[in-house]
C-alpha cells in the first residue's frame, strides 16, 4: 500500500498533522503495510516550509524531490515560476502516481496535506477492500 501527500507551498502547513493522523495508533505490522511517499513539489525543496521539519527525515518511507538532472526540470521550474499551477499540479500527481506504481503496491491513496484520518481508518479500509468481491475474483 502506498500513501502519498503532495506538498505545496502556502501559508499554513498541515502536512505534519496529516501524516501524524495517518500513522498514530498503528501497530508495527500496520505501519509496515503502508509505504508513505511525500513529494516536496518545489524545484528548490529548501524553499518549502516543511522541508526543514525533523519528522520529514524519519516518518516517510520515501521523500521525493525534483532534481536538476531531471529531463523535465526546466519545464517544471518554468511552470512553478510562471504560475502555471494546473500544469504543475498535473505533473506532480503523475510523478507521484508513477512512483507508487513502481513500488508494486496493490492500492494507492493520494492524500492531500489538509486531510485528517479518523481513528481506526486502516482497519476500516482493509475491511472494506473485500466488500463487493465475488468468490471468483
Amino acid at each position: 500500500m502506498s500513501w502519498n501527500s503532495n506538498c505545496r507551498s502556502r501559508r499554513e502547513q498541515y502536512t505534519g498533522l496529516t501524516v501524524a493522523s495517518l500513522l498514530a495508533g498503528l501497530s508495527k505490522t500496520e505501519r509496515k503495510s503502508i509505504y508513505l511517499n511525500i513529494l516536496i513539489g518545489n524545484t528548490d525543496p529548501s524553499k518549502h516550509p516543511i522541508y526543514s521539519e525533523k519528522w520529514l527525515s524519519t516518518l516517510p518511507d520515501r521523500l521525493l524531490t525534483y532534481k536538476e538532472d531531471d529531463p523535465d526540470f526546466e519545464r517544471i521550474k518554468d511552470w512553478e515560476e510562471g504560475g502555471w499551477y494546473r500544469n504543475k499540479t498535473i505533473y506532480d500527481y503523475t510523478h507521484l502516481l508513477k512512483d507508487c506504481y513502481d513500488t508494486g503496491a496493490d492500492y494507492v491513496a493520494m492524500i492531500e496535506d489538509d486531510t485528517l484520518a479518523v481513528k481506526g481508518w486502516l482497519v476500516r479500509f482493509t475491511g472494506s477492500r473485500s466488500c463487493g468481491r465475488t468468490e471468483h475474483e
Side-chain angles (χ1 to χ4, degrees), residues 20-59:
S21 75
L22 288 167
L23 302 180
L26 296 181
S27 69
K28 287 182 181 181
T29 303
E30 289 171 329
R31 173 59 183 101
K32 286 181 183 179
S33 73
I34 297 169
Y35 190 87
L36 179 67
N37 268 353
I38 294 182
L39 170 65
I40 300 292
N42 298 62
T43 52
D44 180 355
S46 67
K47 290 185 178 178
H48 195 284
I50 70 164
Y51 190 68
S52 61
E53 293 183 15
K54 291 183 181 185
W55 65 267
L56 201 58
S57 64
T58 58
L59 293 181

Side-chain angles (χ1 to χ4, degrees), residues 113-126:
D113 58 351
D114 59 354
T115 303
L116 290 176
V118 298
K119 184 177 180 179
W121 71 269
L122 185 60
V123 172
R124 291 178 185 146
F125 171 76
T126 55

Side-chain angles (χ1 to χ4, degrees), residues 1-136:
M1 198 181 304
S2 291
W3 293 99
N4 296 274
S5 178
N6 182 340
C7 304
R8 293 181 303 263
S9 285
R10 63 177 186 226
R11 213 173 211 184
E12 293 188 50
Q13 291 298 308
Y14 303 104
T15 308
L17 288 172
T18 297
V19 171
S21 75
L22 288 167
L23 302 180
L26 296 181
S27 69
K28 287 182 181 181
T29 303
E30 289 171 329
R31 173 59 183 101
K32 286 181 183 179
S33 73
I34 297 169
Y35 190 87
L36 179 67
N37 268 353
I38 294 182
L39 170 65
I40 300 292
N42 298 62
T43 52
D44 180 355
S46 67
K47 290 185 178 178
H48 195 284
I50 70 164
Y51 190 68
S52 61
E53 293 183 15
K54 291 183 181 185
W55 65 267
L56 201 58
S57 64
T58 58
L59 293 181
D61 295 295
R62 183 163 179 175
L63 178 64
L64 300 171
T65 59
Y66 291 117
K67 308 289 186 221
E68 287 188 36
D69 62 352
D70 184 314
D72 293 325
F73 185 82
E74 287 304 318
R75 179 171 35 162
I76 298 166
K77 190 173 181 178
D78 288 344
W79 287 339
E80 182 178 291
E81 292 173 354
W84 291 83
Y85 302 116
R86 181 174 183 267
N87 292 15
K88 178 72 168 59
T89 300
I90 291 169
Y91 190 94
D92 288 347
Y93 275 86
T94 303
H95 183 63
L96 278 170
L97 285 171
K98 183 184 179 324
D99 196 72
C100 290
Y101 179 80
D102 290 347
T103 70
D106 291 332
Y107 299 92
V108 173
M110 298 291 282
I111 309 294
E112 284 293 330
D113 58 351
D114 59 354
T115 303
L116 290 176
V118 298
K119 184 177 180 179
W121 71 269
L122 185 60
V123 172
R124 291 178 185 146
F125 171 76
T126 55
S128 70
R129 291 189 307 189
S130 61
C131 292
R133 290 187 178 173
T134 66
E135 291 180 27
H136 301 289

